[in-house]
Amino acid sequence: MSRGFLGLTSREVHSCPGCGATFTPAGNGTFRFSGVTDRSNPVWKNYGNQTLTGDEWGRIAYGGVSDARQRELDLEYALDEFQRGFVPELRVDTNAVLLKRGERAVAVIPGVTLKEPRSVRTTYGGGAGPSFRIAKGVYFRTGGFAARSESHEEIKVIDSGTLTLTNRRMVFTGGKRTINFPLGKIVGMEPYRDGIAVNRDGKQRTEYYTGLDNVHLTIRVEDRSHVVPLSGVILMCMVQGLINSEE
């Protein structure tokens, strides 16, 4: 039987004599951090009851982090770099727009859905209760009420197409609509897991662009690389970095 975590076999439970930490084999070379004498130990707070590989536990024992935590740290570092203006190019399709002199495409994202809020009016009623005859040709109706109408906003699909981000502007080219505005017109952005909401000067309604996670971005930090789906947070940091680099 092969040796695994800290030289133990995959069937052995390891207990640290110093801190009382115990690691229970979970199969396929992984171990669950199953207990510790002092529950205030920061390692327990960060990794208690987690199942990781022996290599990961070895790194953590010497002050390192798990693979998942390293991925988070690398992504945070990359987003900070994007905002500082070090924006990578994400070219997943041919250019959907004609570029101007000095302009370059940074991200070309197909399969994006454009949504906008629309007012929807709902009518309730009118109806009436049962009627009773009180005289010849005279009836009394009970429980009647008048119809009423209420208006509210719903996010509606407007179009689908390609979203292009350049170093100067954002362009959406769809089957029904083309939207083109400089990055400097953006006054607010709200990121989502799969999209982003954009508020821009001169446009009353918020525009929602969803489906960003259809494409992926490779993030490289030192000798590590991570493939992550494009998200609203990533795109927002890219836009912010492009705006900062033009100032």
Side-chain angles (χ1 to χ4, degrees), residues 9-22:
T9 67
S10 58
R11 294 181 180 178
E12 294 175 311
V13 176
H14 173 70
S15 179
C16 176
C19 64
T22 57

Side-chain angles (χ1 to χ4, degrees), residues 5-232:
F5 173 48
L6 299 180
L8 301 174
T9 67
S10 58
R11 294 181 180 178
E12 294 175 311
V13 176
H14 173 70
S15 179
C16 176
C19 64
T22 57
F23 296 86
T24 304
N28 297 321
T30 63
F31 298 81
R32 183 173 64 87
F33 189 7
S34 52
V36 68
T37 302
D38 181 8
R39 291 299 180 99
S40 65
N41 187 304
V43 177
W44 173 260
K45 289 183 176 181
N46 292 328
Y47 299 103
N49 288 315
Q50 289 192 29
T51 299
L52 304 174
T53 66
D55 289 340
E56 288 177 281
W57 288 127
R59 290 200 305 272
I60 292 170
Y62 289 97
V65 296
S66 66
D67 291 345
R69 181 54 181 157
Q70 187 64 64
R71 179 185 175 93
E72 292 176 355
L73 293 173
D74 287 345
L75 181 56
E76 291 172 5
Y77 174 82
L79 293 180
D80 183 64
E81 290 292 287
F82 294 172
Q83 293 183 80
R84 292 174 55 200
F86 300 99
V87 180
E89 290 191 0
L90 177 59
R91 305 285 294 278
V92 296
D93 202 355
T94 57
N95 286 346
V97 299
L98 294 177
L99 301 177
K100 301 176 182 180
R101 179 175 296 180
E103 186 177 28
R104 60 184 175 84
V106 176
V108 182
I109 312 163
V112 172
T113 300
L114 168 66
K115 301 178 182 179
E116 287 184 358
R118 289 288 186 268
S119 296
V120 177
R121 185 168 293 278
T122 304
T123 301
Y124 305 90
S131 60
F132 300 93
R133 182 176 181 272
I134 59 176
K136 186 177 181 179
V138 180
Y139 291 85
F140 177 74
R141 188 176 298 277
T142 64
F145 62 93
R148 74 183 197 282
S149 181
E150 295 180 355
S151 180
H152 64 280
E153 284 194 341
E154 292 182 1
I155 306 299
K156 298 288 188 179
V157 173
I158 304 300
D159 203 355
S160 60
T162 299
L163 182 65
T164 302
L165 174 66
T166 79
N167 60 319
R168 295 180 179 175
R169 57 184 171 142
M170 186 176 288
V171 184
F172 173 82
T173 51
K176 303 175 184 177
R177 181 182 298 188
T178 297
I179 299 174
N180 179 2
F181 56 90
L183 299 182
K185 288 286 187 179
I186 298 176
V187 296
M189 293 178 287
E190 184 174 356
Y192 301 93
R193 177 187 57 80
D194 63 341
I196 192 168
V198 178
N199 295 98
R200 55 188 175 93
D201 188 26
K203 174 71 174 179
Q204 187 175 11
R205 289 193 176 100
T206 302
E207 294 163 340
Y208 298 85
Y209 299 94
T210 63
L212 303 180
D213 56 347
N214 291 326
V215 299
H216 290 73
L217 175 69
T218 300
I219 293 176
R220 294 181 174 85
V221 179
E222 296 180 353
D223 60 344
R224 299 179 298 275
S225 64
H226 312 281
V227 178
V228 298
L230 185 64
S231 66

